[in-house]
Amino acid sequence: MLFVVLLMLAATGLFYAAATYQNHGYAWADQTCASMPSLCDSPHIVATGAVAAIVVFFVMEKIRS
């Protein structure tokens, strides 16, 4: 589960950075935003999923102990 949380946080950072650097001469940002324009236009969707995954992770850890 921790891997999923870290992956979601990395994806959040990627889409925020791609949205920031889009059309500024960075090919990776242009390609990312061309392949997933809805996530580039609103990267807070990925951030919301990351926060939900973190909450679920901590709840599951609390239940286990």
Side-chain angles (χ1 to χ4, degrees):
M1 184 67 182
L2 181 61
F3 177 73
V4 172
V5 170
L6 293 175
L7 188 65
M8 293 289 288
L9 288 174
T12 300
L14 172 74
F15 287 115
Y16 271 112
T20 301
Y21 294 121
Q22 184 182 14
N23 298 326
H24 287 97
Y26 294 97
W28 66 270
D30 294 335
Q31 291 171 354
T32 301
C33 289
S35 64
M36 297 180 204
S38 62
L39 293 178
C40 227
D41 291 340
S42 54
H44 65 278
I45 294 171
V46 182
T48 304
V51 169
I54 291 169
V55 168
V56 168
F57 174 74
F58 283 123
V59 168
M60 288 177 63
E61 286 295 317
K62 186 69 175 174
I63 289 173
R64 284 187 192 166
S65 59

